[in-house]
mmCIF file of all heavy atoms in Angstrom:
data_model
loop_
_atom_site.group_PDB
_atom_site.id
_atom_site.type_symbol
_atom_site.label_atom_id
_atom_site.label_comp_id
_atom_site.label_asym_id
_atom_site.label_seq_id
_atom_site.Cartn_x
_atom_site.Cartn_y
_atom_site.Cartn_z
ATOM 1 N N LEU A 954 -20.423 27.489 0.966
ATOM 2 C CA LEU A 954 -20.501 26.251 0.209
ATOM 3 C C LEU A 954 -19.105 25.689 -0.041
ATOM 4 O O LEU A 954 -18.871 24.487 0.113
ATOM 5 C CB LEU A 954 -21.213 26.500 -1.128
ATOM 6 C CG LEU A 954 -21.251 25.306 -2.083
ATOM 7 C CD1 LEU A 954 -22.138 24.198 -1.525
ATOM 8 C CD2 LEU A 954 -21.745 25.739 -3.468
ATOM 9 N N VAL A 955 -18.164 26.557 -0.410
ATOM 10 C CA VAL A 955 -16.795 26.117 -0.669
ATOM 11 C C VAL A 955 -16.164 25.549 0.598
ATOM 12 O O VAL A 955 -15.496 24.505 0.575
ATOM 13 C CB VAL A 955 -15.955 27.285 -1.229
ATOM 14 C CG1 VAL A 955 -14.476 26.931 -1.260
ATOM 15 C CG2 VAL A 955 -16.438 27.656 -2.618
ATOM 16 N N GLN A 956 -16.380 26.206 1.733
ATOM 17 C CA GLN A 956 -15.845 25.709 2.996
ATOM 18 C C GLN A 956 -16.421 24.331 3.337
ATOM 19 O O GLN A 956 -15.691 23.437 3.795
ATOM 20 C CB GLN A 956 -16.149 26.699 4.129
ATOM 21 C CG GLN A 956 -15.226 27.900 4.188
ATOM 22 C CD GLN A 956 -15.482 28.728 5.425
ATOM 23 O OE1 GLN A 956 -16.623 28.969 5.805
ATOM 24 N NE2 GLN A 956 -14.412 29.175 6.072
ATOM 25 N N ALA A 957 -17.721 24.154 3.116
ATOM 26 C CA ALA A 957 -18.364 22.875 3.420
ATOM 27 C C ALA A 957 -17.820 21.760 2.526
ATOM 28 O O ALA A 957 -17.577 20.641 2.989
ATOM 29 C CB ALA A 957 -19.875 22.997 3.242
ATOM 30 N N GLN A 958 -17.608 22.043 1.246
ATOM 31 C CA GLN A 958 -17.068 21.039 0.340
ATOM 32 C C GLN A 958 -15.641 20.668 0.713
ATOM 33 O O GLN A 958 -15.263 19.494 0.683
ATOM 34 C CB GLN A 958 -17.138 21.542 -1.102
ATOM 35 C CG GLN A 958 -18.555 21.585 -1.667
ATOM 36 C CD GLN A 958 -18.581 21.958 -3.129
ATOM 37 O OE1 GLN A 958 -17.616 22.525 -3.656
ATOM 38 N NE2 GLN A 958 -19.672 21.644 -3.796
ATOM 39 N N ASN A 959 -14.830 21.657 1.055
ATOM 40 C CA ASN A 959 -13.444 21.384 1.449
ATOM 41 C C ASN A 959 -13.397 20.548 2.729
ATOM 42 O O ASN A 959 -12.575 19.631 2.858
ATOM 43 C CB ASN A 959 -12.679 22.686 1.644
ATOM 44 C CG ASN A 959 -12.405 23.410 0.339
ATOM 45 O OD1 ASN A 959 -12.449 22.797 -0.731
ATOM 46 N ND2 ASN A 959 -12.130 24.699 0.408
ATOM 47 N N ALA A 960 -14.286 20.853 3.694
ATOM 48 C CA ALA A 960 -14.326 20.087 4.936
ATOM 49 C C ALA A 960 -14.740 18.643 4.671
ATOM 50 O O ALA A 960 -14.177 17.705 5.250
ATOM 51 C CB ALA A 960 -15.291 20.743 5.925
ATOM 52 N N ALA A 961 -15.719 18.438 3.787
ATOM 53 C CA ALA A 961 -16.162 17.079 3.447
ATOM 54 C C ALA A 961 -15.058 16.303 2.757
ATOM 55 O O ALA A 961 -14.859 15.109 3.010
ATOM 56 C CB ALA A 961 -17.407 17.146 2.559
ATOM 57 N N ARG A 962 -14.301 16.982 1.908
ATOM 58 C CA ARG A 962 -13.202 16.317 1.207
ATOM 59 C C ARG A 962 -12.104 15.907 2.187
ATOM 60 O O ARG A 962 -11.570 14.797 2.109
ATOM 61 C CB ARG A 962 -12.644 17.245 0.126
ATOM 62 C CG ARG A 962 -11.633 16.589 -0.797
ATOM 63 C CD ARG A 962 -11.210 17.532 -1.910
ATOM 64 N NE ARG A 962 -12.341 17.890 -2.738
ATOM 65 C CZ ARG A 962 -12.896 19.088 -2.764
ATOM 66 N NH1 ARG A 962 -12.430 20.049 -1.992
ATOM 67 N NH2 ARG A 962 -13.919 19.334 -3.546
ATOM 68 N N LYS A 963 -11.764 16.764 3.132
ATOM 69 C CA LYS A 963 -10.740 16.446 4.128
ATOM 70 C C LYS A 963 -11.203 15.306 5.029
ATOM 71 O O LYS A 963 -10.413 14.438 5.405
ATOM 72 C CB LYS A 963 -10.414 17.686 4.948
ATOM 73 C CG LYS A 963 -9.661 18.762 4.172
ATOM 74 C CD LYS A 963 -9.385 19.970 5.050
ATOM 75 C CE LYS A 963 -8.639 21.052 4.262
ATOM 76 N NZ LYS A 963 -8.393 22.264 5.081
ATOM 77 N N GLU A 964 -12.494 15.301 5.369
ATOM 78 C CA GLU A 964 -13.027 14.233 6.208
ATOM 79 C C GLU A 964 -12.957 12.888 5.490
ATOM 80 O O GLU A 964 -12.612 11.866 6.094
ATOM 81 C CB GLU A 964 -14.481 14.555 6.577
ATOM 82 C CG GLU A 964 -15.175 13.477 7.407
ATOM 83 C CD GLU A 964 -14.568 13.318 8.794
ATOM 84 O OE1 GLU A 964 -13.880 14.258 9.269
ATOM 85 O OE2 GLU A 964 -14.773 12.246 9.393
ATOM 86 N N PHE A 965 -13.252 12.895 4.204
ATOM 87 C CA PHE A 965 -13.180 11.659 3.423
ATOM 88 C C PHE A 965 -11.752 11.132 3.376
ATOM 89 O O PHE A 965 -11.511 9.936 3.569
ATOM 90 C CB PHE A 965 -13.701 11.912 2.008
ATOM 91 C CG PHE A 965 -13.544 10.735 1.084
ATOM 92 C CD1 PHE A 965 -14.418 9.659 1.155
ATOM 93 C CD2 PHE A 965 -12.518 10.703 0.150
ATOM 94 C CE1 PHE A 965 -14.268 8.572 0.311
ATOM 95 C CE2 PHE A 965 -12.364 9.624 -0.699
ATOM 96 C CZ PHE A 965 -13.240 8.553 -0.622
ATOM 97 N N ILE A 966 -10.789 12.024 3.140
ATOM 98 C CA ILE A 966 -9.386 11.610 3.085
ATOM 99 C C ILE A 966 -8.937 11.085 4.442
ATOM 100 O O ILE A 966 -8.206 10.091 4.542
ATOM 101 C CB ILE A 966 -8.502 12.790 2.631
ATOM 102 C CG1 ILE A 966 -8.842 13.172 1.180
ATOM 103 C CG2 ILE A 966 -7.019 12.451 2.752
ATOM 104 C CD1 ILE A 966 -8.135 14.430 0.702
ATOM 105 N N SER A 967 -9.396 11.739 5.516
ATOM 106 C CA SER A 967 -9.030 11.297 6.860
ATOM 107 C C SER A 967 -9.584 9.907 7.146
ATOM 108 O O SER A 967 -8.900 9.050 7.723
ATOM 109 C CB SER A 967 -9.550 12.297 7.894
ATOM 110 O OG SER A 967 -9.295 11.857 9.196
ATOM 111 N N GLN A 968 -10.834 9.651 6.759
ATOM 112 C CA GLN A 968 -11.432 8.342 6.975
ATOM 113 C C GLN A 968 -10.717 7.263 6.175
ATOM 114 O O GLN A 968 -10.502 6.150 6.654
ATOM 115 C CB GLN A 968 -12.916 8.382 6.607
ATOM 116 C CG GLN A 968 -13.769 9.199 7.569
ATOM 117 C CD GLN A 968 -15.222 9.255 7.139
ATOM 118 O OE1 GLN A 968 -15.581 8.757 6.073
ATOM 119 N NE2 GLN A 968 -16.060 9.881 7.947
ATOM 120 N N GLN A 969 -10.318 7.603 4.956
ATOM 121 C CA GLN A 969 -9.589 6.647 4.138
ATOM 122 C C GLN A 969 -8.239 6.315 4.761
ATOM 123 O O GLN A 969 -7.802 5.168 4.746
ATOM 124 C CB GLN A 969 -9.400 7.196 2.727
ATOM 125 C CG GLN A 969 -10.678 7.276 1.907
ATOM 126 C CD GLN A 969 -11.264 5.906 1.631
ATOM 127 O OE1 GLN A 969 -12.256 5.531 2.242
ATOM 128 N NE2 GLN A 969 -10.657 5.152 0.747
ATOM 129 N N SER A 970 -7.563 7.341 5.322
ATOM 130 C CA SER A 970 -6.267 7.117 5.957
ATOM 131 C C SER A 970 -6.411 6.236 7.189
ATOM 132 O O SER A 970 -5.571 5.376 7.456
ATOM 133 C CB SER A 970 -5.632 8.458 6.335
ATOM 134 O OG SER A 970 -5.439 9.266 5.194
ATOM 135 N N LEU A 971 -7.498 6.444 7.967
ATOM 136 C CA LEU A 971 -7.742 5.611 9.140
ATOM 137 C C LEU A 971 -8.013 4.163 8.734
ATOM 138 O O LEU A 971 -7.498 3.222 9.341
ATOM 139 C CB LEU A 971 -8.933 6.165 9.931
ATOM 140 C CG LEU A 971 -9.321 5.401 11.207
ATOM 141 C CD1 LEU A 971 -8.158 5.420 12.195
ATOM 142 C CD2 LEU A 971 -10.566 6.015 11.824
ATOM 143 N N LYS A 972 -8.798 3.993 7.716
ATOM 144 C CA LYS A 972 -9.088 2.651 7.213
ATOM 145 C C LYS A 972 -7.807 1.979 6.736
ATOM 146 O O LYS A 972 -7.573 0.793 6.954
ATOM 147 C CB LYS A 972 -10.101 2.746 6.061
ATOM 148 C CG LYS A 972 -10.432 1.415 5.414
ATOM 149 C CD LYS A 972 -11.404 1.629 4.270
ATOM 150 C CE LYS A 972 -11.695 0.310 3.561
ATOM 151 N NZ LYS A 972 -12.606 0.495 2.407
ATOM 152 N N GLU A 973 -6.969 2.765 6.090
ATOM 153 C CA GLU A 973 -5.698 2.260 5.575
ATOM 154 C C GLU A 973 -4.786 1.810 6.707
ATOM 155 O O GLU A 973 -4.073 0.815 6.601
ATOM 156 C CB GLU A 973 -5.027 3.370 4.753
ATOM 157 C CG GLU A 973 -3.748 2.984 4.067
ATOM 158 C CD GLU A 973 -3.240 4.133 3.234
ATOM 159 O OE1 GLU A 973 -3.870 4.456 2.219
ATOM 160 O OE2 GLU A 973 -2.219 4.716 3.617
ATOM 161 N N ALA A 974 -4.826 2.523 7.840
ATOM 162 C CA ALA A 974 -3.943 2.200 8.958
ATOM 163 C C ALA A 974 -4.399 0.950 9.700
ATOM 164 O O ALA A 974 -3.584 0.267 10.327
ATOM 165 C CB ALA A 974 -3.886 3.372 9.926
ATOM 166 N N THR A 975 -5.695 0.618 9.650
ATOM 167 C CA THR A 975 -6.220 -0.507 10.417
ATOM 168 C C THR A 975 -6.339 -1.790 9.604
ATOM 169 O O THR A 975 -6.498 -2.855 10.166
ATOM 170 C CB THR A 975 -7.607 -0.153 10.969
ATOM 171 O OG1 THR A 975 -8.466 0.224 9.891
ATOM 172 C CG2 THR A 975 -7.508 1.011 11.943
ATOM 173 N N GLN A 976 -6.308 -1.683 8.272
ATOM 174 C CA GLN A 976 -6.473 -2.883 7.463
ATOM 175 C C GLN A 976 -5.126 -3.546 7.205
ATOM 176 O O GLN A 976 -4.073 -2.953 7.385
ATOM 177 C CB GLN A 976 -7.137 -2.538 6.122
ATOM 178 C CG GLN A 976 -6.248 -1.744 5.173
ATOM 179 C CD GLN A 976 -6.970 -1.424 3.874
ATOM 180 O OE1 GLN A 976 -8.127 -1.735 3.704
ATOM 181 N NE2 GLN A 976 -6.259 -0.806 2.966
ATOM 182 N N GLU A 977 -5.176 -4.803 6.790
ATOM 183 C CA GLU A 977 -3.954 -5.528 6.470
ATOM 184 C C GLU A 977 -3.390 -4.976 5.175
ATOM 185 O O GLU A 977 -4.082 -4.884 4.162
ATOM 186 C CB GLU A 977 -4.248 -7.022 6.316
ATOM 187 C CG GLU A 977 -3.008 -7.852 6.004
ATOM 188 C CD GLU A 977 -3.343 -9.327 5.849
ATOM 189 O OE1 GLU A 977 -4.523 -9.679 6.066
ATOM 190 O OE2 GLU A 977 -2.450 -10.099 5.520
ATOM 191 N N MET A 978 -2.137 -4.596 5.219
ATOM 192 C CA MET A 978 -1.509 -3.976 4.054
ATOM 193 C C MET A 978 -1.029 -5.059 3.104
ATOM 194 O O MET A 978 -0.027 -5.738 3.360
ATOM 195 C CB MET A 978 -0.343 -3.090 4.498
ATOM 196 C CG MET A 978 -0.757 -1.904 5.339
ATOM 197 S SD MET A 978 -1.547 -0.641 4.346
ATOM 198 C CE MET A 978 -0.147 -0.026 3.454
ATOM 199 N N THR A 979 -1.752 -5.229 1.987
ATOM 200 C CA THR A 979 -1.352 -6.243 1.025
ATOM 201 C C THR A 979 -0.110 -5.836 0.262
ATOM 202 O O THR A 979 0.501 -6.653 -0.402
ATOM 203 C CB THR A 979 -2.494 -6.500 0.026
ATOM 204 O OG1 THR A 979 -2.835 -5.273 -0.627
ATOM 205 C CG2 THR A 979 -3.709 -7.044 0.732
ATOM 206 N N SER A 980 0.241 -4.565 0.329
ATOM 207 C CA SER A 980 1.417 -4.093 -0.397
ATOM 208 C C SER A 980 2.644 -4.008 0.495
ATOM 209 O O SER A 980 3.643 -3.420 0.126
ATOM 210 C CB SER A 980 1.120 -2.716 -1.004
ATOM 211 O OG SER A 980 0.806 -1.791 0.003
ATOM 212 N N ASP A 981 2.576 -4.588 1.711
ATOM 213 C CA ASP A 981 3.712 -4.551 2.626
ATOM 214 C C ASP A 981 4.858 -5.363 2.028
ATOM 215 O O ASP A 981 4.708 -6.534 1.695
ATOM 216 C CB ASP A 981 3.304 -5.124 3.985
ATOM 217 C CG ASP A 981 4.415 -4.976 5.017
ATOM 218 O OD1 ASP A 981 5.398 -4.264 4.722
ATOM 219 O OD2 ASP A 981 4.297 -5.577 6.097
ATOM 220 N N THR A 982 6.009 -4.736 1.889
ATOM 221 C CA THR A 982 7.155 -5.389 1.254
ATOM 222 C C THR A 982 8.252 -5.737 2.246
ATOM 223 O O THR A 982 9.344 -6.124 1.839
ATOM 224 C CB THR A 982 7.735 -4.461 0.167
ATOM 225 O OG1 THR A 982 8.147 -3.222 0.775
ATOM 226 C CG2 THR A 982 6.707 -4.172 -0.912
ATOM 227 N N SER A 983 7.989 -5.608 3.554
ATOM 228 C CA SER A 983 9.048 -5.822 4.537
ATOM 229 C C SER A 983 9.528 -7.270 4.561
ATOM 230 O O SER A 983 10.693 -7.531 4.869
ATOM 231 C CB SER A 983 8.556 -5.405 5.931
ATOM 232 O OG SER A 983 7.413 -6.157 6.307
ATOM 233 N N ASP A 984 8.646 -8.233 4.249
ATOM 234 C CA ASP A 984 9.042 -9.637 4.280
ATOM 235 C C ASP A 984 9.178 -10.222 2.875
ATOM 236 O O ASP A 984 9.113 -11.438 2.685
ATOM 237 C CB ASP A 984 8.037 -10.464 5.091
ATOM 238 C CG ASP A 984 6.625 -10.355 4.527
ATOM 239 O OD1 ASP A 984 6.403 -9.507 3.642
ATOM 240 O OD2 ASP A 984 5.747 -11.121 4.979
ATOM 241 N N TYR A 985 9.400 -9.366 1.889
ATOM 242 C CA TYR A 985 9.511 -9.838 0.503
ATOM 243 C C TYR A 985 10.776 -10.656 0.325
ATOM 244 O O TYR A 985 11.858 -10.293 0.809
ATOM 245 C CB TYR A 985 9.513 -8.647 -0.455
ATOM 246 C CG TYR A 985 9.765 -9.032 -1.898
ATOM 247 C CD1 TYR A 985 8.749 -9.591 -2.664
ATOM 248 C CD2 TYR A 985 11.018 -8.853 -2.482
ATOM 249 C CE1 TYR A 985 8.966 -9.940 -3.982
ATOM 250 C CE2 TYR A 985 11.247 -9.200 -3.802
ATOM 251 C CZ TYR A 985 10.209 -9.753 -4.544
ATOM 252 O OH TYR A 985 10.433 -10.106 -5.848
ATOM 253 N N ASN A 986 10.650 -11.766 -0.364
ATOM 254 C CA ASN A 986 11.790 -12.639 -0.628
ATOM 255 C C ASN A 986 11.614 -13.263 -1.997
ATOM 256 O O ASN A 986 10.640 -13.990 -2.230
ATOM 257 C CB ASN A 986 11.888 -13.724 0.456
ATOM 258 C CG ASN A 986 13.319 -14.161 0.701
ATOM 259 O OD1 ASN A 986 14.164 -14.030 -0.176
ATOM 260 N ND2 ASN A 986 13.586 -14.679 1.894
ATOM 261 N N TYR A 987 12.519 -12.981 -2.902
ATOM 262 C CA TYR A 987 12.395 -13.489 -4.275
ATOM 263 C C TYR A 987 12.555 -15.001 -4.306
ATOM 264 O O TYR A 987 13.453 -15.565 -3.679
ATOM 265 C CB TYR A 987 13.443 -12.832 -5.165
ATOM 266 C CG TYR A 987 13.373 -13.285 -6.604
ATOM 267 C CD1 TYR A 987 12.445 -12.743 -7.476
ATOM 268 C CD2 TYR A 987 14.231 -14.284 -7.087
ATOM 269 C CE1 TYR A 987 12.364 -13.159 -8.796
ATOM 270 C CE2 TYR A 987 14.162 -14.708 -8.405
ATOM 271 C CZ TYR A 987 13.225 -14.143 -9.252
ATOM 272 O OH TYR A 987 13.144 -14.557 -10.556
ATOM 273 N N ARG A 988 11.689 -15.646 -5.064
ATOM 274 C CA ARG A 988 11.740 -17.089 -5.236
ATOM 275 C C ARG A 988 12.282 -17.415 -6.620
ATOM 276 O O ARG A 988 11.797 -16.900 -7.631
ATOM 277 C CB ARG A 988 10.342 -17.692 -5.058
ATOM 278 C CG ARG A 988 9.745 -17.469 -3.676
ATOM 279 C CD ARG A 988 10.447 -18.298 -2.630
ATOM 280 N NE ARG A 988 9.996 -17.962 -1.268
ATOM 281 C CZ ARG A 988 10.393 -18.617 -0.191
ATOM 282 N NH1 ARG A 988 11.247 -19.632 -0.302
ATOM 283 N NH2 ARG A 988 9.967 -18.254 1.004
ATOM 284 N N ILE A 989 13.276 -18.269 -6.658
ATOM 285 C CA ILE A 989 13.935 -18.627 -7.912
ATOM 286 C C ILE A 989 12.955 -19.366 -8.815
ATOM 287 O O ILE A 989 12.121 -20.166 -8.338
ATOM 288 C CB ILE A 989 15.175 -19.502 -7.625
ATOM 289 C CG1 ILE A 989 16.184 -18.702 -6.788
ATOM 290 C CG2 ILE A 989 15.823 -19.994 -8.917
ATOM 291 C CD1 ILE A 989 17.314 -19.535 -6.238
ATOM 292 N N GLY A 990 13.040 -19.094 -10.122
ATOM 293 C CA GLY A 990 12.144 -19.734 -11.075
ATOM 294 C C GLY A 990 12.897 -20.288 -12.265
ATOM 295 O O GLY A 990 14.104 -20.084 -12.435
ATOM 296 N N LYS A 991 12.176 -20.989 -13.110
ATOM 297 C CA LYS A 991 12.768 -21.596 -14.308
ATOM 298 C C LYS A 991 13.275 -20.509 -15.261
ATOM 299 O O LYS A 991 12.556 -19.560 -15.553
ATOM 300 C CB LYS A 991 11.738 -22.465 -15.015
ATOM 301 C CG LYS A 991 11.167 -23.569 -14.128
ATOM 302 C CD LYS A 991 10.011 -24.272 -14.795
ATOM 303 C CE LYS A 991 9.388 -25.307 -13.858
ATOM 304 N NZ LYS A 991 8.229 -25.997 -14.466
ATOM 305 N N GLY A 992 14.508 -20.686 -15.723
ATOM 306 C CA GLY A 992 15.097 -19.723 -16.637
ATOM 307 C C GLY A 992 16.018 -18.725 -15.970
ATOM 308 O O GLY A 992 16.805 -18.051 -16.648
ATOM 309 N N ASP A 993 15.921 -18.569 -14.644
ATOM 310 C CA ASP A 993 16.852 -17.685 -13.929
ATOM 311 C C ASP A 993 18.278 -18.234 -14.043
ATOM 312 O O ASP A 993 18.507 -19.447 -14.212
ATOM 313 C CB ASP A 993 16.466 -17.578 -12.461
ATOM 314 C CG ASP A 993 15.234 -16.719 -12.236
ATOM 315 O OD1 ASP A 993 14.892 -15.943 -13.145
ATOM 316 O OD2 ASP A 993 14.605 -16.851 -11.167
ATOM 317 N N ILE A 994 19.240 -17.350 -13.947
ATOM 318 C CA ILE A 994 20.646 -17.744 -14.011
ATOM 319 C C ILE A 994 21.283 -17.423 -12.668
ATOM 320 O O ILE A 994 21.271 -16.269 -12.223
ATOM 321 C CB ILE A 994 21.381 -17.011 -15.150
ATOM 322 C CG1 ILE A 994 20.710 -17.331 -16.498
ATOM 323 C CG2 ILE A 994 22.856 -17.396 -15.180
ATOM 324 C CD1 ILE A 994 21.319 -16.601 -17.675
ATOM 325 N N LEU A 995 21.847 -18.458 -12.020
ATOM 326 C CA LEU A 995 22.456 -18.314 -10.706
ATOM 327 C C LEU A 995 23.966 -18.197 -10.838
ATOM 328 O O LEU A 995 24.587 -18.881 -11.663
ATOM 329 C CB LEU A 995 22.108 -19.502 -9.812
ATOM 330 C CG LEU A 995 20.627 -19.841 -9.639
ATOM 331 C CD1 LEU A 995 20.478 -20.997 -8.652
ATOM 332 C CD2 LEU A 995 19.843 -18.636 -9.183
ATOM 333 N N ASN A 996 24.530 -17.345 -10.020
ATOM 334 C CA ASN A 996 25.978 -17.203 -9.941
ATOM 335 C C ASN A 996 26.418 -17.764 -8.585
ATOM 336 O O ASN A 996 26.052 -17.225 -7.541
ATOM 337 C CB ASN A 996 26.371 -15.735 -10.078
ATOM 338 C CG ASN A 996 27.867 -15.540 -10.119
ATOM 339 O OD1 ASN A 996 28.587 -16.395 -10.635
ATOM 340 N ND2 ASN A 996 28.341 -14.444 -9.562
ATOM 341 N N ILE A 997 27.203 -18.859 -8.607
ATOM 342 C CA ILE A 997 27.605 -19.559 -7.381
ATOM 343 C C ILE A 997 29.122 -19.450 -7.220
ATOM 344 O O ILE A 997 29.877 -19.779 -8.134
ATOM 345 C CB ILE A 997 27.175 -21.037 -7.425
ATOM 346 C CG1 ILE A 997 25.657 -21.134 -7.651
ATOM 347 C CG2 ILE A 997 27.574 -21.756 -6.139
ATOM 348 C CD1 ILE A 997 25.152 -22.534 -7.888
ATOM 349 N N VAL A 998 29.543 -18.989 -6.062
ATOM 350 C CA VAL A 998 30.966 -18.811 -5.765
ATOM 351 C C VAL A 998 31.301 -19.580 -4.498
ATOM 352 O O VAL A 998 30.602 -19.444 -3.479
ATOM 353 C CB VAL A 998 31.312 -17.317 -5.586
ATOM 354 C CG1 VAL A 998 32.787 -17.150 -5.201
ATOM 355 C CG2 VAL A 998 30.987 -16.528 -6.842
#
């Protein structure tokens, strides 16, 4: 029973990882660019 539960848990994690690899990553930060807003203080040289 313990072996079967551990195998099911690993299979679930594996499926989640596969789903994660194929879906669009909303948390991708590679193209992040801060946009200036009201109240920010700019230093210009």
